[in-house]
Amino acid sequence: MNDVLLNIEDLVVSYTSGNKKVNAVNRMNIVVEKGETVGLVGETGAGKTTTAKAILRLIPNPPGVIEKGKIYFSNENLLSKKESEMRKIRGNKISMIFQDPMTSLNPVITIGEQIAEVIRLHQKVSKAKAGIIACEMLERVGIPKERYDEYPHQFSGGMKQRVVIAIALACNPQLLIADEPTTALDVTIQAQILELMHKLKIDFNTSMIMISHDLGVVAEICDKVAIIYAGQVVEFGTVKDVYKNTAHPYTKGLFAAIPSIKGDRLKRLFYIPGLMPDPTNIPNGCPFSPRCSSKLDICEKCAPKDTYINENHLVRCHLYEEKERELDLCQSY
Amino acid sequence: MPVLLKVEGIKKHFKTPGGTLHAVDGVSFELERGKTIGIVGESGCGKSTLGRAVINLIPATGGKVLFKGKDITAFKGKNLHSLRKDMQMIFQDPFSSLNPRMTVSEIIREPIVEHKIKTGNREIEEEINILMETVGLASRLYHAYPHELDGGRRQRIGIARALALNPDFIVCDEPVSALDVSIQSQILNLMQDLQEEKKIAYMFITHDLSVVRHMSDDIAVMYLGVVVEKCSVDKLFQSQLHPYTKALLSSIPSTDLDFKKSRIILKGEITSPINPGDECRFAARCNYATDKCFKETPVLRDIGGYHYVACHYAENLQKGDSA
Amino acid sequence: MSKDNKQKRGQFKEAWIRLRINRAAMFGLSVIILLIIMAVFAPLIAPYGYDEQHLKMANLLPSWRHLMGTDNFGRDIFSRIIYGSRVSLQVGFIAVGIGVLIGGTLGSISAYYGGIVDNVIMRFIDTLLAIPGTLLAISIAAALGPGLTNAMIAVGVGTVPTYARVVRASVLTVKEQEFIEAAKCIGVKDYKIIIKHILPNAMAPLIVQATLGVASAILSAAALSFIGLGIQPPTPEWGAMLSAGRVYIRDYWHIVTFPGVTIMITIFSLNLFGDGLRDALDPRLKR
C-alpha cells in the first residue's frame, strides 16, 4: 500500500438508548490513501455519519461511546489524543462539510469573516492576512471576492455550500469529510458543486471521504467506495470493482433498485424485501441475512469475515469465504 | 381513453413585498384515466404549487381545471367537499404528513368518516383493515403510532389515507424523495399496482428524473412557473430539445461507469420568479440565448408529433441534434 | 359511535399509564389532590374558625396549640391557610381557566386564519398587553365591583394576552406541518382541524404556561384584595395573608412564611404535574 492517510481499524461505536446498548458502528474497517476520495454509501441509519463523527471524535457522550478500535491519521491514533490536541486537528487537518448549507453558517456574521475566523483560529496570521486568504478562497470556490461582506441569507443554497466548502478548505486540510454535501441541492446545482469539489480536491491535493446515499454521485467523484449496512462495511473496493463486479448481495440489490434513466423501462422495479434491521435488534450472524436472497445456512448463525476478491476489493459475505467455517469458530465475533 | 383532467393555462400568483411572485404562470396539460403525467423541475420552479392548485387545495389565480368536464377552480363549500373524494394527494414528507397523536387506524379512519364512505363501526373497521392490507401494512400496526414506524411504512399510511376515498386522480408530491433506495422501489411498485388495479390517474411531481421516467407516460418539465417542454417519456429521454431539459438530463449522476456523457454545466442559479418580464425565463442561464430570447417570451408550441417546446430555436436545435 | 368513544378512552388510558410511571408528576398530583380535599373539608380539618380572634394571643410563634402560630389579630394561621385554600385554589384554577379558554381560542383562530383576522385579534391583544396585567385586573374589578367571582374574571381576563400569544406562536408552527394540509385535502372542516389536529399538537407550551399562571393568578387576586377590590376580609386567602403579614416580617417571621410556603408548594406540585402531563399526552415519548 502506498501512503495511507487514514486507517480505521475494527471501530465499534455504541449508543445507549433507554437501557439498551446499540452498536451504531460495528467492526468498521476503512482505509483512505493520500489524495484519494472514498465514498461511504448506505441507507438512513447505516452508521455513515456516526463513522465520520468518530473520526473527528465528535460523538456526543453520553449517549455515544467509542467502544473499541483504532483510527490512525498520519500514523497517529486519534482515539488516544487529548481533547485539546483534537481541537487543533478539527477544521485544520481534518475538516467537515455538513449536509445542510442553510444551518451550517452563522447568519449574523459575514461570510468573509467566517472564513477568516477559521484561518486565524489555526494559523498564526494577522487579521489583514487572514482576510486576504479568505478572499482568495472565495475566488477559488467561484464567488467574486466583492461578496466578502455579505451575509449568508444573501446567498442561494448552492452558493452557501460553496462558502461552506471554502471554510472547510481554508486551512488546506489533509482530509475533508463531506456528509451528503449535495443532497439538499438541485441536480443542476449539484453538478456545479460536484465539479467544483473534484477540481479543488486535485488543486489542494486533499483526501476526501464522501458520505452519500446516491450511488450516482459516488460514481462521479470517488476512487473507492465502501458500502455500509447496519454499521458494517459489507463491501469495499475501487469504484470500478464495486460497480462492475458487484459482490455483496446487498450492493447488488441497491443497484437493481434504482430506476434507470436509459434502456428499456422495467415493468416493476426490483426491491430488497424487508427493512433495515432495528439497531436494538441486529440479527445474529450476517445482519443482511433476513433480507438476502442467496442466504446460506451459516449466514444466520455466524458473522461473516472479510474476504478479499482481489487486492483492492473486499467483501464481508459468507458466499465468498473459501472454506466453510465450523460453527464453533463463530464465537470469536 | 377519455380525458379525465384538462388543465388550461392555470396560474398561481402570490403577492409579496417585492412584487408579484409568479409561482405558476399558465400551465396546461391533459391527463387520461389510469395514466401518469410527471412534473419535473428543480426547487422553486412551482411544481408543488401547481399540484395544489390543480386539486383546488389552494385557489388558482387564473386558468381552468376541467375535471370530468366541470371547471373545479370555481368549486366552493359542498362541491369542493365532495370533490375531495375524487382527487387526493400523497405528500412528500412521511414524517410531517401524519398527525403524531393519531394511530394508524385513526388516520385512515378520518376520511372514511368524514365522507361517510362507510357507516357503522363494523363496516368502517373492515374498510380500514382492507385498506391496510391493500397498501401492505400488517394488521398488528392497527393501533401503532406513526413515530414507531419507518419512512416506508409511514408513506404507506399516507397512501392508504388517500385511497380511502377511492379517488380517480391523485397528486403525488415527491412521494419517495425522503425514502431510501431499497424502500423507494417498494413504494413505487405499490403505486403502480394500485394504478393498474384501480385505474387511478397520477400527477407525479418530482425532481428525480429516473423515478419520473419509471412512473410516467408523459412528462412536463417546469422552469420558473412555466412548462418548457412536454412530451412522452421516451421522447423526452431520447430527443429532448429545450436547452434546460438537456442540461437537467446531463446533470443526473449516473451509476454507469461506461456511460461518460458530456455534461452541460449551467451558469448561475435559478432566477427570481418575482415580476418576470418579457423574456425567456431561462435565457440568463442558457448557452444558446440570443437577443431575441431576452426580448420575447417563447410560447409552448407543438413542433410535431406531440412534442411541445417553449424555445424560439426548437427547430434549429432539432436539426442540430440530427446532424 | 360507541366504538369511537372506546378508542378515545383508550388514548386517555394510555396517557394515564404514561403519567403513572412519572414519579414526580404523581407526587405533584397527590399534593394537588390533598390540597383540594383540604379545601372541601376545611371546617372539619381546621382546629379553629378562620375569624376567631384572640387579641391577647396575637403574634404567637408556632406551638402545639397553634401549629403555625397566630397572626396580629391572634387568629390561628394554620386554620386560616386551610380555609384560605378554598378561595385561593378557586381563584387560581378558574382565573387560569378563563385565561386559557379565551386566550387559547383567540390565539388559535388568529394563527389559523392569519391575514386580517390575525391582525385584528392580535392588535386587540397588543392593546391589552400594553396595560400591565395587574392594572388591567384592577380596572376590570373596579368596573365589576368587589367579590370573589369578579376577582376571578378580572384576573382571568388580565392573563388573556399571555395565553393568546403562547397559543398563537405554537399553532403557527403546527399549522405549517403537512398533516394539516393532508387533513384539508381530505375535506375536514376548519374547526375540526383546529380541535383535532392543531390544538393537541400545540398544547405543550400552553400547559407549562398555565401551571405557572396559577401562581401569578393567586398573587394577582391578593393584590386586588389588598386594595379592597377582591375578596373581602376576614375571608382568608393565601395571597392576602402574605401581603398582610409583610409588615411584621422582621419581628414575626411565621406570619408571612407559612402562606408563602403553601403557595410555593402548590405551584411546585402543579409544575411537576404539568410537565408530566405534557409528556404523557405525547405518544412520541412513549417508552
Side-chain angles (χ1 to χ4, degrees):
Chain A
M1 284 205 202
N2 40 2
D3 291 337
V4 172
L5 178 71
L6 181 82
N7 188 0
I8 301 179
E9 281 180 9
D10 260 335
L11 182 70
V12 179
V13 181
S14 72
Y15 282 96
T16 324
S17 85
N19 34 24
K20 278 184 206 150
K21 210 173 75 180
V22 174
N23 280 357
V25 169
N26 205 354
R27 296 189 291 134
M28 176 85 77
N29 294 299
I30 291 171
V31 177
V32 182
E33 290 172 22
K34 278 195 182 129
E36 194 178 59
T37 302
V38 173
L40 303 189
V41 178
E43 299 182 74
T44 316
K48 297 167 294 188
T49 304
T50 308
T51 311
K53 285 188 177 163
I55 298 172
L56 286 166
R57 291 252 311 272
L58 287 174
I59 304 274
N61 181 9
V65 184
I66 298 176
E67 295 265 323
K68 99 180 180 188
K70 295 184 179 82
I71 299 176
Y72 289 106
F73 178 72
S74 307
N75 295 320
E76 286 176 77
N77 189 356
L78 292 180
L79 297 185
S80 58
K81 290 223 181 278
K82 283 198 225 89
E83 180 58 31
S84 58
E85 291 173 302
M86 278 311 293
R87 234 175 277 142
K88 283 182 193 141
I89 292 174
R90 284 181 210 134
N92 188 21
K93 288 180 175 159
I94 306 177
S95 53
M96 188 152 173
I97 299 175
F98 294 94
Q99 174 171 355
D100 191 354
M102 313 300 158
T103 53
S104 47
L105 292 172
N106 185 335
V108 295
I109 303 179
T110 66
I111 54 136
E113 267 176 65
Q114 295 195 42
I115 302 172
E117 192 192 341
V118 183
I119 299 168
R120 301 225 318 140
L121 199 64
H122 293 293
Q123 292 171 13
K124 286 201 176 74
V125 291
S126 68
K127 205 169 176 181
K129 183 84 199 322
I132 294 167
I133 303 176
C135 281
E136 272 170 32
M137 284 311 302
L138 277 180
E139 296 268 312
R140 291 187 84 157
V141 297
I143 298 174
K145 61 172 180 276
E146 289 73 33
R147 302 192 70 177
Y148 186 95
D149 286 322
E150 289 183 19
Y151 289 91
H153 70 91
Q154 292 167 290
F155 289 77
S156 64
M159 284 307 211
K160 271 187 210 154
Q161 198 60 300
R162 283 170 193 263
V163 176
V164 173
I165 292 172
I167 292 174
L169 292 176
C171 292
N172 203 350
Q174 289 166 282
L175 179 66
L176 177 65
I177 302 173
D179 189 358
E180 307 251 13
T182 58
T183 306
L185 306 175
D186 284 316
V187 247
T188 57
I189 308 300
Q190 167 171 289
Q192 292 173 355
I193 297 291
L194 287 180
E195 200 189 52
L196 175 76
M197 287 177 74
H198 195 69
K199 186 176 144 277
L200 291 175
K201 194 199 89 177
I202 295 167
D203 290 357
F204 283 80
N205 192 25
T206 309
S207 302
M208 191 155 86
I209 291 180
M210 174 90 174
I211 298 174
S212 183
H213 65 276
D214 188 332
L215 286 161
V217 169
V218 168
E220 299 278 334
I221 201 165
C222 296
D223 305 305
K224 285 189 182 159
V225 57
I227 310 287
I228 300 180
Y229 185 80
Q232 304 192 18
V233 176
V234 294
E235 186 161 1
F236 183 64
T238 62
V239 167
K240 204 174 156 200
D241 278 333
V242 173
Y243 281 53
K244 291 215 155 168
N245 301 316
T246 312
H248 199 281
Y250 174 64
T251 322
K252 286 181 184 165
L254 275 188
F255 278 112
I258 308 171
S260 168
I261 54 157
K262 60 187 190 62
D264 291 332
R265 279 206 286 165
L266 299 168
K267 192 85 192 80
R268 285 178 69 83
L269 288 170
F270 174 84
Y271 66 93
I272 305 172
L275 301 168
M276 283 275 283
D278 177 4
T280 56
N281 190 17
I282 303 265
N284 283 335
C286 172
F288 187 61
S289 58
R291 301 174 73 184
C292 185
S293 52
S294 17
K295 181 176 61 180
L296 307 169
D297 284 344
I298 191 170
C299 297
E300 286 178 342
K301 292 167 194 141
C302 208
K305 287 190 294 193
D306 290 342
T307 311
Y308 282 92
I309 292 178
N310 67 38
E311 197 188 332
N312 292 317
H313 190 180
L314 187 144
V315 62
R316 187 175 280 184
C317 175
H318 283 293
L319 296 175
Y320 298 89
E321 285 184 24
E322 285 191 359
K323 276 175 278 178
E324 288 234 348
R325 272 191 281 161
E326 294 296 325
L327 281 180
D328 50 316
L329 284 173
C330 305
Q331 305 309 324
S332 58
Y333 285 122
Chain B
M1 276 280 184
V3 171
L4 178 75
L5 180 83
K6 192 169 182 186
V7 179
E8 288 177 0
I10 194 166
K11 283 183 186 167
K12 179 66 197 177
H13 296 175
F14 294 100
K15 289 243 160 27
T16 66
T20 309
L21 189 149
H22 294 229
V24 177
D25 218 359
V27 171
S28 307
F29 62 86
E30 284 177 12
L31 186 59
E32 288 170 13
R33 199 174 277 277
K35 296 280 186 187
T36 303
I37 184 158
I39 308 285
V40 188
E42 299 182 90
S43 50
C45 74
K47 54 188 193 302
S48 291
T49 311
L50 173 67
R52 285 161 173 76
V54 165
I55 60 169
N56 202 349
L57 198 56
I58 51 173
T61 313
K64 277 189 204 165
V65 177
L66 298 171
F67 183 73
K68 295 180 179 168
K70 283 187 202 139
D71 184 7
I72 60 159
T73 50
F75 276 22
K76 281 202 174 79
K78 243 189 196 144
N79 281 341
L80 189 62
H81 191 253
S82 61
L83 179 71
R84 297 286 169 239
K85 271 191 284 191
D86 296 324
M87 304 179 133
Q88 272 303 308
M89 183 150 175
I90 298 171
F91 293 87
Q92 169 174 12
D93 189 342
F95 296 81
S96 82
S97 64
L98 305 173
N99 187 340
R101 285 163 203 265
M102 286 164 76
T103 61
V104 173
S105 60
E106 285 170 332
I107 292 170
I108 303 174
R109 175 192 298 266
E110 192 171 34
I112 300 174
V113 173
E114 184 66 39
H115 287 272
K116 304 189 176 66
I117 302 290
K118 288 279 186 306
T119 45
N121 280 302
R122 172 84 57 85
E123 283 80 22
I124 292 175
E125 229 162 275
E126 219 165 80
E127 181 72 11
I128 295 173
N129 279 316
I130 292 170
L131 282 163
M132 285 177 68
E133 203 190 316
T134 315
V135 299
L137 284 168
S139 55
R140 71 190 151 79
L141 300 175
Y142 194 87
H143 291 299
Y145 284 98
H147 69 96
E148 296 165 333
L149 309 175
D150 64 285
R153 287 220 186 92
R154 269 184 272 211
Q155 201 55 291
R156 287 175 198 268
I157 303 172
I159 294 173
R161 172 174 61 190
L163 282 182
L165 298 174
N166 224 337
D168 295 318
F169 173 58
I170 300 183
V171 171
C172 316
D173 186 9
E174 306 251 16
V176 294
S177 65
L179 305 178
D180 282 316
V181 196
S182 68
I183 307 300
Q184 168 180 305
S185 47
Q186 294 179 9
I187 298 293
L188 292 178
N189 283 343
L190 170 69
M191 291 178 66
Q192 276 189 325
D193 292 346
L194 291 171
Q195 177 169 48
E196 215 153 282
E197 192 189 314
K198 298 178 189 284
K199 292 277 165 269
I200 307 171
Y202 288 139
M203 176 172 164
F204 202 95
I205 300 168
T206 182
H207 68 276
D208 189 330
L209 285 148
S210 51
V211 167
V212 86
R213 177 173 187 263
H214 181 74
M215 292 298 288
S216 312
D217 298 296
D218 290 345
I219 294 189
V221 180
M222 279 185 79
Y223 190 80
L224 277 179
V226 293
V227 171
V228 295
E229 189 159 5
K230 186 177 76 181
C231 56
S232 71
V233 166
D234 293 334
K235 198 167 269 171
L236 189 94
F237 280 85
Q238 276 154 22
S239 52
Q240 71 291 93
L241 286 177
H242 198 281
Y244 176 65
T245 317
K246 281 179 187 290
L248 197 63
L249 285 174
S250 83
S251 301
I252 312 171
S254 166
T255 55
D256 189 345
L257 301 178
D258 299 327
F259 181 57
K260 283 287 169 214
K261 54 202 165 190
S262 51
R263 164 155 302 159
I264 306 164
I265 302 273
L266 286 178
K267 302 175 274 192
E269 306 198 6
I270 204 158
T271 42
S272 161
I274 293 174
N275 295 337
D278 286 334
E279 58 185 15
C280 172
R281 294 188 184 181
F282 184 60
R285 297 177 76 189
C286 184
N287 296 328
Y288 305 96
T290 63
D291 284 351
K292 189 183 179 188
C293 301
F294 288 98
K295 283 179 195 141
E296 207 178 303
T297 311
V299 285
L300 190 68
R301 62 209 162 90
D302 195 346
I303 58 149
Y306 189 70
H307 190 171
Y308 291 83
V309 187
C311 177
H312 293 306
Y313 301 107
E315 283 81 3
N316 302 22
L317 289 167
Q318 194 172 26
K319 273 179 223 144
D321 226 31
S322 54
Chain C
M1 214 50 215
S2 65
K3 174 70 193 171
D4 219 88
N5 286 339
K6 218 185 265 171
Q7 196 86 36
K8 280 271 171 294
R9 216 177 297 145
Q11 248 181 38
F12 282 119
K13 205 172 173 188
E14 234 175 81
W16 170 239
I17 292 167
R18 283 195 290 268
L19 187 65
R20 250 186 14 202
I21 55 171
N22 186 340
R23 277 196 211 149
M26 288 317 285
F27 170 76
L29 183 63
S30 341
V31 173
I32 296 165
I33 290 171
L34 268 177
L35 284 168
I36 293 172
I37 291 173
M38 197 166 93
V40 172
F41 298 104
L44 300 179
I45 304 168
Y48 303 90
Y50 62 84
D51 50 358
E52 263 178 62
Q53 295 189 6
H54 300 279
L55 287 173
K56 277 186 197 156
M57 292 195 282
N59 300 330
L60 290 182
L61 285 173
S63 63
W64 281 115
R65 271 190 73 184
H66 298 283
L67 279 176
M68 293 179 184
T70 57
D71 67 5
N72 51 321
F73 293 112
R75 295 176 297 194
D76 181 48
I77 294 180
F78 180 57
S79 305
R80 282 181 63 79
I81 282 182
I82 290 172
Y83 275 104
S85 63
R86 295 184 140 183
V87 173
S88 290
L89 289 184
Q90 266 188 69
V91 169
F93 288 127
I94 296 180
V96 166
I98 294 171
V100 167
L101 211 68
I102 303 177
T105 315
L106 287 178
S108 40
I109 291 175
S110 171
Y112 184 74
Y113 288 101
I116 298 173
V117 180
D118 185 25
N119 245 319
V120 169
I121 294 180
M122 285 332 279
R123 291 303 80 76
F124 169 66
I125 295 293
D126 284 347
T127 320
L128 288 183
L129 212 54
I131 310 163
T134 319
L135 192 63
L136 187 63
I138 290 172
S139 15
I140 296 169
L144 297 176
L148 178 61
T149 323
N150 292 345
M152 289 188 303
I153 295 174
V155 172
V157 173
T159 57
V160 162
T162 328
Y163 295 112
R165 286 250 160 223
V166 168
V167 170
R168 179 175 175 270
S170 179
V171 167
L172 277 180
T173 30
V174 177
K175 194 183 107 175
E176 291 307 313
Q177 308 244 22
E178 265 184 350
F179 66 83
I180 303 302
E181 204 174 18
K184 276 188 202 161
C185 191
I186 287 167
V188 183
K189 290 179 192 73
D190 284 353
Y191 76 94
K192 268 196 209 162
I193 291 182
I194 296 184
I195 292 171
K196 196 169 165 191
H197 292 282
I198 295 185
L199 285 183
N201 287 293
M203 285 297 275
L206 183 65
I207 292 176
V208 175
Q209 182 69 38
T211 48
L212 290 170
V214 173
S216 50
I218 293 177
L219 293 176
S220 300
L224 285 185
S225 1
F226 189 65
I227 53 169
L229 286 172
I231 297 90
Q232 300 303 307
T235 313
E237 186 238 329
W238 296 343
M241 289 168 73
L242 192 69
S243 50
R246 206 168 35 108
V247 195
Y248 308 98
I249 193 162
R250 277 165 191 265
D251 309 309
Y252 308 107
W253 57 270
H254 63 277
I255 301 182
V256 69
T257 304
F258 288 110
V261 168
T262 317
I263 294 178
M264 196 196 77
I265 290 173
T266 311
I267 302 319
F268 181 60
S269 320
L270 269 170
N271 274 343
L272 288 180
F273 177 65
D275 280 356
L277 189 66
R278 178 194 58 195
D279 293 350
L281 288 174
D282 191 344
R284 278 166 298 187
L285 294 171
K286 186 159 54 177
R287 286 273 163 90

